[in-house]
Amino acid sequence: MPFRRQLYYLTIIALAWVAVAQPDLSAWFPAFGPVVPVQVAGPRQVLIVRESADDNPDLGRVLVALRNGEPAAYLKANGHSLLILDDDAKGPDGQPSQTLAAFAPFPVLPVLIVADPKADKVTLREPLPKDTAAVLDAIKRGGG
Amino acid sequence: MPLVIPDAFVNVDLDSFGFARGYFESGLPKAKRPNYGDKEPLVPESEWKARIDEMDAGNTGGDYLVTRIYDQNGEGSCVANACSQAVEVVQALQFGKDAVVHLSAMSLYKRIGSSPNSGASCDDGLDEICKVGVLPLDNPENRAKFGSAVMPNCGWRESYPANWEATAKRFRGTEWATCESVAEVISALLNRHPVIVGREGHSILYVRAAYRDGDLGAVYVNSWGRWGFAAGGFPDGFGFDTGRTLRSASDFAFALRAVCDQ
């Protein structure tokens, strides 16, 4: 078998192995390691979705704290908007909220979503942290 | 700012103040409505004290969602004022205190009262804020946003602007529950859900559970303008019901959990 054909088959076999086994090749090829998205900091649309029938004192404390004092001042100073909505929130027409529809579904509640409205993309989506400082940290990780 | 509850505004003798009130029980059979404890578990009584202490320490009571003190100005519209205040408090949580659209209690009272001082029932008020909604208050900010679809807070003889329903439905309650016990009212307040109550001929909005001299009661935001003690960052506007009054008010009250997304 000619060498070029052998090389061709070996390449096919190697690519198939990589596709199926998905080995971690970052040690051999650092340039092909996991891609870390670069967040461009800027104003963010922050959305907290929860089922208000499941509200509890811990969640209530965090939500009120986000609307007052330093947390509210931080959000305002950085141009972030924060919406806190029910997972089945309705619009004025009685239909499901369009804001929610843009970010659905919500398999885990309560959830924190941070979006970059300029880039029209979600930069962070994770279960809502249990204290106010952790919520602000998460917003910062989302570029806020 | 620590909550200080002066004696003068505890279980107030409403008659002695001479302000208008306007709450009455509808007298109709109480329609079956969802109860606060039907879906969400109530906060165990053993946790109340610690939860209230935590709320006091962090200034995270529902009074910190109040953005305005209403003034019913001598009319019997307390129920409409309490209901409209509840919508504003939930707006503050959902959209932020800067984004609250102040509302016209008169735009609600004209549908649930029959004269300037007839008064109204809380269940009628709740039904109307959830089915039809409330119009924005007539002020420069709201005029800029909503044009002529606004009304003042007082003035029984004010008429509705044209096509007012289309604007009012943007300010509707969407999730609520009936409270029929102290445990349900306290759980709602600890969860930061405002509670509309009527007692002794007057309707007010409970916004925070609190202890005073070891007695569990509720802080309410009143609709008598410059009256009461400081709370929620306001210099006045708040009163306190002790356990005795809280118990009498808790047999048929309404917790508002959500308003519609504007």
Side-chain angles (χ1 to χ4, degrees), chain A residues 50-58 60-65 67-68 76 82-94 97-100, chain B residues 39-41 43 47 51 54 59-62 64-65 92-98 169-170 172 174-175 190-193 257-262:
Chain A
R50 96 287 194 205
E51 168 51 69
S52 64
D54 295 334
D55 281 353
N56 58 66
D58 288 326
R61 171 175 45 79
V62 170
L63 299 185
V64 174
R67 291 304 189 192
N68 287 283
K76 188 175 180 180
L82 169 62
L83 282 179
I84 300 170
L85 294 179
D86 221 289
D87 65 336
D88 52 359
K90 303 283 192 295
D93 54 3
S97 154
Q98 292 180 359
T99 311
L100 283 185
Chain B
K39 281 188 176 176
E40 56 279 83
V43 181
E47 291 183 18
R51 295 292 188 184
E54 182 184 70
N59 288 337
T60 57
Y64 281 89
L65 295 172
L93 184 87
Q94 292 187 185
F95 312 122
K97 292 168 81 170
D98 290 347
K169 72 180 182 183
R170 297 175 61 178
R172 281 185 299 113
T174 54
E175 300 244 351
L190 292 175
N191 292 339
R192 277 64 167 184
H193 299 149
R257 291 198 308 248
V259 297
C260 73
D261 182 15
Q262 296 162 20

Side-chain angles (χ1 to χ4, degrees), chain A residues 4-26:
Chain A
R4 284 176 63 185
R5 178 155 292 206
Q6 286 180 356
L7 191 60
Y8 173 76
Y9 284 130
L10 281 172
T11 305
I12 295 291
I13 290 166
L15 288 175
W17 175 68
V18 169
V20 173
Q22 298 191 341
D24 180 8
L25 302 177
S26 58

Side-chain angles (χ1 to χ4, degrees), chain B residues 117-132:
Chain B
N117 287 300
S118 63
S121 70
C122 290
D123 34 349
D124 283 350
L126 181 82
D127 286 346
E128 280 294 313
I129 60 169
C130 291
K131 287 177 185 163
V132 183

